[in-house]
């Protein structure tokens, strides 16, 4: 009986604003692999819970929401960012806000919510390969992944990136407030009991502070390249 090789996975973990979303999309496109934006899943559940008026500290209600919410990714017609459809509604723009990010971080600390999303995430592992973008892809979801990267950057740099993104979307944001929110989220994510944010022991850590996108892509490709 022949043994089949497991579908290869590249995990790209890191804190908010480290560039993992952009880098993951570019690398997945160039490799021709599938893409999993795990952060969008948590943001989508947070959005759905908010739409239902749920208390995010109500673990039972939010877990039920995680099990019943329908989420799908849809390629943008103009070649732009992938659209995220939540219960039939294109919630892509709402999911990019700091409010959605804070909600995602809050519900990600609930063990039963994380478990409800594990099978969904594992289902993305299909040929020819998968680029998995998140916070615990290399440590919890795909610990056997042959390729692992952890992207990071200073809080000040990440705040500037988010500020630029949100300003371009016409949102009224303040740089100082964004940086404080990012630092608070870092502390919350790193100190939580369940799947804390940290590099996998076998991950290549890349500090993207001051680095152009193509330089980061090149460093990630160096990890995947035989």
């Amino acid at each position: 009986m022949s043994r089949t090789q497991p579908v290869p996975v590249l995990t790209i973990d890191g804190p908010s604003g480290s560039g993992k979303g952009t880098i993951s999309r570019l690398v997945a496109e160039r490799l021709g692999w599938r893409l999993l934006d795990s952060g969008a899943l948590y943001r989508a559940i947070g959005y759905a819970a908010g739409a239902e008026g749920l208390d995010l500290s109500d673990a039972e209600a939010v877990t039920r929401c995680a099990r019943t919410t329908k989420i799908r990714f849809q390629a943008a017609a103009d070649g732009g960012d992938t659209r995220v459809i939540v219960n039939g509604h294109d919630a892509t723009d709402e999911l990019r806000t700091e409010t959605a990010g804070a909600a995602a971080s809050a519900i990600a600390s609930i063990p039963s919510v994380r478990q409800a999303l594990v099978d969904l995430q594992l289902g993305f592992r299909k040929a020819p390969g998968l680029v998995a973008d998140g916070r615990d892809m290399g440590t919890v979801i795909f610990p056997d992944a042959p390729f692992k990267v952890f992207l990071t950057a200073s809080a000040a740099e990440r705040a500037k990136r988010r500020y630029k993104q949100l300003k371009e979307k016409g949102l009224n944001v303040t740089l100082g407030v964004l940086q404080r929110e990012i630092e608070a989220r870092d502390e919350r994510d790193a100190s939580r009991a369940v799947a804390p944010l940290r590099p996998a022991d076998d991950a290549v850590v890349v500090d993207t502070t001051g680095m152009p996108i193509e330089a980061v892509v090149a460093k990630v490709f160096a990890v995947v390249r035989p």
Side-chain angles (χ1 to χ4, degrees), residues 1-88:
M1 183 181 295
S2 62
R3 297 178 61 185
T4 57
Q5 287 289 101
V7 174
V9 176
L10 163 64
T11 62
I12 301 181
D13 291 316
S16 176
S18 59
K20 61 184 185 296
T22 299
I23 301 304
S24 295
R25 279 197 303 275
L26 291 172
V27 171
E29 287 174 5
R30 296 182 191 185
L31 288 172
W33 288 7
R34 291 164 61 88
L35 174 66
L36 165 59
D37 179 354
S38 67
L41 297 182
Y42 284 96
R43 285 172 180 256
I45 298 304
Y47 167 81
E52 289 186 34
L54 301 181
D55 180 347
L56 296 184
S57 66
D58 185 338
E60 185 176 344
V62 177
T63 300
R64 175 194 54 75
C65 180
R67 289 174 177 153
T68 59
T69 298
K70 304 298 182 186
I71 305 167
R72 63 186 175 88
F73 296 99
Q74 180 176 296
D78 60 359
D81 292 348
T82 300
R83 311 305 293 178
V84 186
I85 314 301
V86 182
N87 290 330

Side-chain angles (χ1 to χ4, degrees), residues 103-142:
S105 181
I107 66 171
S109 65
I110 302 173
S112 54
V113 170
R114 301 189 72 85
Q115 188 56 48
L117 292 178
V118 167
D119 289 342
L120 179 61
Q121 293 173 87
L122 293 176
F124 279 80
R125 189 174 192 169
K126 295 179 180 177
L130 173 68
V131 176
D133 155 15
R135 282 176 165 71
D136 63 354
M137 296 296 97
T139 55
V140 176
I141 306 300
F142 300 105

